[in-house]
Amino acid sequence: RLAFMVDRALYRVVQESLTNAAKHAPGAAVSVRIAHLADATEVRVVNGPPPARPDAPSARHTGLPSGKNGLVGLRERVRLAGGTLRTGPYEGGFEVTARLPHAAGAARPAGQESAREDASESAFQRRHAQRRARRGLKQVILVPLAVAAVLAALMGGFSYIQTEQSVLDSGDYERLRVGQRRSDAEDLLPSLQTDVPPRRDVKPMPHDSTCRYYRMSREPDPTHAYRVCFAHGRLAAKDVVPLPGD
């Protein structure tokens, strides 16, 4: 029979170890071994490295507590029960081993744990923090780059479509006749207009007319554009106007 304090300490060792394994190594295999010796019971919980799977569960979805200071409190609980606790990395994962006397003994003096145990735990926490920092840095750098790449692709695609769909064929331009019905004229016009406005010194059309501008070719830097103006349901005017930079 185990003293109540010893029994509860062993229970908490397993509980906290499983919680930390689920948090820091979601999806990894975990083994729990309990050895009942002549005068003490030893429990050893070892988890392997987390599997590199995108569908591995994460701690934020498990509903488990964070356990940030769990090992510190666990070490104190084991010490008060007269036992010892060892923690540290193990074959890519993590190991927690506690040994407690069957009868609760005198509490071990605080700080009696070996420097190697403290160093191992500190090294593990430091490496874990470094991994989180690297992941955060990658997200800060890669996410904006990915967004910029997508936007650049969309803008490039739109620019290409606009260029292709805003060119008015010279033959169709010649077939436009001033005075013809707007519906007939629009059958000859492209589906889009050019996004390059004419020069400011271009002669304006009457206020009651609506003008459209079309590319004359697929050149990357056009110098002129076709202007087609409508008024009162008829083609009112057509001409060639210079663009900025000409």
Side-chain angles (χ1 to χ4, degrees), residues 127-164:
R127 285 195 296 271
H128 179 66
Q130 289 172 347
R131 286 197 297 269
R132 292 181 60 187
R134 285 195 294 269
R135 286 197 298 268
L137 183 60
K138 288 180 181 179
Q139 291 177 350
V140 169
I141 295 175
L142 295 180
V143 170
L145 289 178
V147 172
V150 171
L151 290 177
L154 292 175
M155 293 177 64
F158 178 77
S159 177
Y160 173 79
I161 293 174
Q162 186 178 49
T163 298
E164 291 294 317

Side-chain angles (χ1 to χ4, degrees), residues 51-85:
R53 294 189 296 108
D55 59 340
S58 61
R60 72 185 63 179
H61 298 124
T62 60
L64 297 173
S66 64
K68 179 181 293 185
N69 300 314
L71 290 179
V72 176
L74 194 63
R75 187 182 300 279
E76 180 65 13
R77 178 184 288 270
V78 171
R79 183 187 70 81
L80 292 175
T84 59
L85 181 72

Side-chain angles (χ1 to χ4, degrees), residues 77-115:
R77 178 184 288 270
V78 171
R79 183 187 70 81
L80 292 175
T84 59
L85 181 72
R86 298 196 316 273
T87 61
Y90 180 80
E91 296 183 355
F94 198 74
E95 173 188 17
V96 177
T97 301
R99 184 185 178 96
L100 290 102
H102 288 164
R108 291 164 51 86
Q112 194 178 56
E113 293 83 357
S114 67

Side-chain angles (χ1 to χ4, degrees), residues 10-229:
L10 289 171
Y11 177 86
R12 289 305 302 274
V13 167
V14 176
Q15 182 184 51
E16 185 64 29
S17 299
L18 294 179
T19 297
N20 286 341
K23 179 178 186 295
H24 298 295
V30 183
S31 66
V32 179
R33 298 182 182 275
I34 300 177
H36 295 289
L37 309 177
D39 58 349
T41 293
E42 184 176 277
V43 60
R44 182 170 181 260
V45 184
V46 178
N47 66 263
R53 294 189 296 108
D55 59 340
S58 61
R60 72 185 63 179
H61 298 124
T62 60
L64 297 173
S66 64
K68 179 181 293 185
N69 300 314
L71 290 179
V72 176
L74 194 63
R75 187 182 300 279
E76 180 65 13
R77 178 184 288 270
V78 171
R79 183 187 70 81
L80 292 175
T84 59
L85 181 72
R86 298 196 316 273
T87 61
Y90 180 80
E91 296 183 355
F94 198 74
E95 173 188 17
V96 177
T97 301
R99 184 185 178 96
L100 290 102
H102 288 164
R108 291 164 51 86
Q112 194 178 56
E113 293 83 357
S114 67
R116 176 179 174 275
E117 294 170 2
D118 292 339
S120 297
E121 184 174 339
S122 297
F124 172 79
Q125 297 295 341
R126 183 170 59 255
R127 285 195 296 271
H128 179 66
Q130 289 172 347
R131 286 197 297 269
R132 292 181 60 187
R134 285 195 294 269
R135 286 197 298 268
L137 183 60
K138 288 180 181 179
Q139 291 177 350
V140 169
I141 295 175
L142 295 180
V143 170
L145 289 178
V147 172
V150 171
L151 290 177
L154 292 175
M155 293 177 64
F158 178 77
S159 177
Y160 173 79
I161 293 174
Q162 186 178 49
T163 298
E164 291 294 317
Q165 299 297 323
S166 64
V167 176
L168 175 57
D169 183 76
S170 60
D172 290 336
Y173 176 77
E174 293 299 330
R175 283 192 285 272
L176 293 172
R177 295 287 182 265
V178 175
Q180 71 181 134
R181 291 184 302 178
R182 180 169 183 167
S183 58
D184 295 335
E186 286 184 337
D187 291 339
L188 301 172
L189 299 177
S191 57
L192 298 177
Q193 300 184 56
T194 179
D195 59 348
V196 181
R199 278 192 342 203
R200 294 184 177 180
D201 58 351
V202 171
K203 178 182 177 181
M205 287 293 170
H207 293 296
D208 58 350
S209 62
T210 302
C211 296
R212 300 179 183 178
Y213 301 88
Y214 300 97
R215 298 173 69 96
M216 301 179 66
S217 68
R218 292 176 174 81
E219 297 178 0
D221 298 310
T223 59
H224 291 74
Y226 290 126
R227 179 169 62 174
V228 179
C229 300

